[in-house]
Amino acid sequence: MAAMKAELVAERLARAEVLAQLAEALAFKELAAHQALEIAKLRHQLYGRSAERSRQIIDQLELALVEAVGDATQAEIVAEEAANAAGVVPVRSFERKKPARAPLPEHLPRERVVEPAPCACDHCGSHRLVKVGEDVTETLEVIPRSWKVVQHVRERFSCRACEGFSQAPAPFHAIARGRAGPSLLAMILYEKYGQHVPLNRQAERYAREGVPIALSTLADQVGACAHALTPMAELIEAHVLAAGRIHGDDTPVPLLDKGKTKTARLWTYVRDDRPFGGADPPAVLFKFSDTRSGDHPKAHLKAYPTTRGGAILQADAFAGYNHLFEQARSPAPFIEAACWAHARRKFFEIASLPVKGKAGSAVQAAAPLATQAVKKIDELFAIEREINGATANERLATRTSQSAPLVANLFDWMSEQRQKLSRHAPVAAAMDYMLKRQPAFSVFLTDGRACLSNNAAERSLRPAALGRKAWLFAGSQAGGERAALIYTLIGTAKLNNIDPQAWLAHLLAHMPSWPASRLQELAPWNWKPAP
């Protein structure tokens, strides 16, 4: 019996050792599959077709289409000229009628050019001609940019009674002791921050047009304009941070630092109540910082929200926002609303990877779960598209009846699938990202103001992300803060569908003499362009 017991114990120990070895082998296999998937994702990021590259491909195809249309038109004209020279009358085949071209804009001024009338009849040569009508052909033309010098003349008068002098007061300048008019200053600002044309390139172009302006002068004017426009930026900031819901995000910005660059951050906070039928105008606020510390959003949102129930902060899962959601926060905690588009992207990256190479088996094993998750999330976005622009109560009613069952089913499915996966499984991290933040992902089911995604903030950062390739880096901390201020003005103007350059010119022309108590009248949501 003792020998049998010893054999049984030895067999169990051997079996346990084999099972441990099998578990270890399985863990290594899963780890290898995870690493292979990570390598595939990195290769896809470096060499694959990203959204930006897809946009470039579309642009290239559109350019090729334009070139093809131009080639066809040119070839058709050459063929017609050759046929006319040879006396051949071409017979056109049946063609579908093309839609009529849209008329040229009615608001543009018209210049009437009357062609010389015939002196005799084209058929019989008689001079007895009577006008019976006319045909008008319109062509769109542009006048090259012209420069001018505006002279403000203030006549002086002498009094015959007291021999004193009287004269009109000097006009206000857009910037103190400045020689540039408001339209020129607005153009410089919009070219630099709206079109991402650095000041040195602007100076070169102005010199070619016969108006040399020193680069240092342009820089001085930008700084003076930023100071003059600060009150309007502060008004927009107060408007954004008084919202019941704010979108927040950030993007890296290179900052010059002792001969090299370091990574600074451009923060954005967007107020846009249009998705839930809000009447308040949209606006965007930008802030600049030299690091990505959580102290910066804490300082930006220090006094907000002031509402008793708290405001919604729609953002990604950046740890720097966590203190904003603490219940002990004063004056009130924000309500965290997670971004479903950000969560969907994690699954989509796995589902869209190509199945090839050594990582093919790992991708092939992970793709079905990731694809199924993407389809489930897409059903929620389809519902949101139908209720976009409806009131908060209408959105909440639709979400309660249609979206809530889908969300419950999605989280139940993820919880069930997650138990079958190891921590090294490719889709485990994407599932954990949502399961750990289920309350934040469910906020839109209890508040009709909340959005399903944080795309509003990401859209606001797109111009700055594209402009980095042109201006390369921010020259200083003050320069980054100045850029954030002008981005605030231009971004808010675009959200309110007005011309940023025209509005900036109006501000620079009127703000020096405008009462501070009436500054709201110049806000982009109240401004109307001159007819």
Side-chain angles (χ1 to χ4, degrees):
M1 291 294 294
M4 293 178 62
K5 288 181 179 180
E7 290 180 2
L8 182 61
V9 170
E11 183 181 354
R12 288 180 178 177
L13 290 176
R15 184 181 299 176
E17 185 178 357
V18 170
L19 291 177
Q21 292 175 350
L22 290 175
E24 185 178 5
L26 181 61
F28 281 127
K29 185 178 180 180
E30 291 179 347
L31 179 60
H34 173 72
Q35 292 174 343
L37 181 65
E38 290 299 316
I39 293 173
K41 290 169 64 177
L42 291 174
R43 284 177 177 170
H44 183 67
Q45 292 175 3
L46 287 175
Y47 309 112
R49 182 178 297 179
S50 64
E52 290 78 6
R53 291 176 182 172
S54 299
R55 180 68 257 178
Q56 293 176 358
I57 292 174
I58 293 174
D59 292 341
Q60 292 173 358
L61 292 176
E62 290 177 347
L63 179 60
L65 175 61
V66 171
E67 294 295 336
V69 172
D71 294 342
T73 302
Q74 183 177 357
E76 184 179 0
I77 294 174
V78 171
E80 290 180 356
E81 291 178 350
N84 293 334
V88 178
V89 180
V91 179
R92 291 181 177 272
S93 60
F94 172 77
E95 295 181 358
R96 291 184 179 272
K97 291 184 177 180
K98 296 181 180 180
R101 291 183 296 180
L104 297 178
E106 294 293 336
H107 68 276
L108 296 178
R110 260 58 177 179
E111 178 183 350
R112 187 177 175 87
V113 178
V114 181
E115 301 295 339
C119 299
C121 178
D122 295 336
H123 302 281
C124 66
S126 173
H127 294 279
R128 299 176 62 186
L129 299 178
V130 179
K131 181 179 178 180
V132 295
E134 63 182 18
D135 293 327
V136 179
T137 302
E138 292 188 337
T139 56
L140 187 63
E141 189 56 278
V142 62
I143 301 174
R145 182 169 60 195
S146 60
W147 298 77
K148 65 179 180 181
V149 177
V150 179
Q151 296 180 334
H152 294 275
V153 180
R154 297 182 295 127
E155 297 177 326
R156 275 196 310 272
F157 294 90
S158 175
C159 178
R160 294 290 181 87
C162 66
E163 298 183 355
F165 290 95
S166 298
Q167 190 178 30
F172 284 97
H173 289 282
I175 55 178
R177 299 179 299 279
R179 299 178 64 184
S183 295
L184 173 58
L185 294 173
M187 181 181 70
I188 294 171
L189 288 178
Y190 186 68
E191 287 287 315
K192 176 175 173 60
Y193 296 103
Q195 300 297 321
H196 314 294
V197 181
L199 293 181
N200 61 320
R201 299 183 192 174
Q202 294 190 46
E204 293 173 0
R205 189 173 73 243
Y206 301 154
R208 286 194 297 268
E209 295 175 3
V211 185
I213 304 178
L215 181 60
S216 60
T217 301
L218 293 176
D220 290 341
Q221 291 170 345
V222 169
C225 288
H227 177 74
L229 295 170
T230 298
M232 179 55 64
E234 293 175 347
L235 185 147
I236 294 175
E237 178 177 357
H239 175 73
V240 169
L241 298 181
R245 187 202 64 196
I246 298 174
H247 293 269
D249 203 354
D250 65 284
T251 188
V253 175
L255 174 64
L256 190 63
D257 181 40
K258 297 180 180 179
K260 59 181 181 179
T261 60
K262 67 177 183 179
T263 302
R265 311 299 296 192
L266 184 67
W267 306 80
T268 182
Y269 304 98
V270 181
R271 174 178 187 171
D272 192 352
D273 300 341
R274 292 174 295 181
F276 59 88
D280 293 327
V284 57
L285 169 67
F286 287 94
K287 292 289 186 178
F288 180 84
S289 66
D290 58 348
T291 64
R292 205 194 181 197
S293 169
D295 293 336
H296 298 299
K298 181 178 181 180
H300 301 158
L301 306 175
K302 181 178 180 180
Y304 301 94
T306 56
T307 55
R308 180 178 300 176
I312 298 173
L313 177 60
Q314 198 106 30
D316 56 16
F318 172 48
Y321 294 131
N322 290 345
H323 60 274
L324 299 175
F325 309 125
E326 296 175 355
Q327 294 300 316
R329 181 180 182 270
S330 179
F334 277 95
I335 301 172
E336 181 183 7
C339 175
W340 281 82
H342 194 80
R344 178 188 181 276
R345 193 175 300 133
K346 295 180 179 296
F347 292 104
F348 183 79
E349 289 176 352
I350 299 174
S352 62
L353 288 175
V355 182
K356 60 182 181 180
K358 295 182 179 179
S361 58
V363 174
Q364 195 169 8
L369 289 177
T371 302
Q372 193 170 354
V374 170
K375 290 180 179 179
K376 290 178 178 293
I377 296 175
D378 285 346
E379 293 178 2
L380 296 174
F381 278 99
I383 297 173
E384 288 299 308
R385 283 191 289 270
E386 296 296 327
I387 61 176
N388 187 40
T391 64
N393 292 333
E394 292 172 345
R395 285 154 61 95
L396 185 57
T398 302
R399 289 168 174 175
T400 302
S401 61
Q402 300 183 27
S403 300
L406 297 178
V407 172
N409 175 267
L410 172 63
F411 279 104
D412 291 343
W413 172 80
M414 281 196 298
S415 299
E416 180 183 354
Q417 297 298 325
R418 181 63 184 88
Q419 294 176 1
K420 303 177 183 179
L421 302 172
S422 72
R423 59 190 179 92
H424 298 300
V427 294
M431 290 183 176
D432 289 341
Y433 178 83
M434 295 191 65
L435 291 172
K436 292 178 181 178
R437 300 171 179 83
Q438 185 172 350
F441 280 104
S442 303
V443 165
F444 80 105
L445 298 176
T446 58
D447 196 324
R449 300 171 301 166
C451 280
L452 204 61
S453 71
N454 196 33
N455 289 341
E458 294 186 1
R459 285 194 299 268
S460 69
L461 288 172
R462 189 175 301 163
L466 295 175
R468 283 195 298 253
K469 296 181 180 179
W471 41 260
L472 301 181
F473 53 79
S476 64
Q477 175 74 23
E481 294 173 356
R482 184 164 53 248
L485 185 146
I486 305 300
Y487 281 147
T488 296
L489 301 175
I490 293 177
T492 303
K494 290 181 177 180
L495 285 177
N496 287 273
N497 298 319
I498 63 173
D499 181 6
Q501 184 172 330
W503 177 61
L504 289 175
H506 186 83
L507 287 181
L508 292 169
H510 293 83
M511 281 188 63
S513 59
W514 198 265
S517 58
R518 296 173 51 197
L519 188 60
Q520 186 70 232
E521 299 176 17
L522 298 179
W525 46 85
N526 292 327
W527 181 76
K528 300 295 181 183

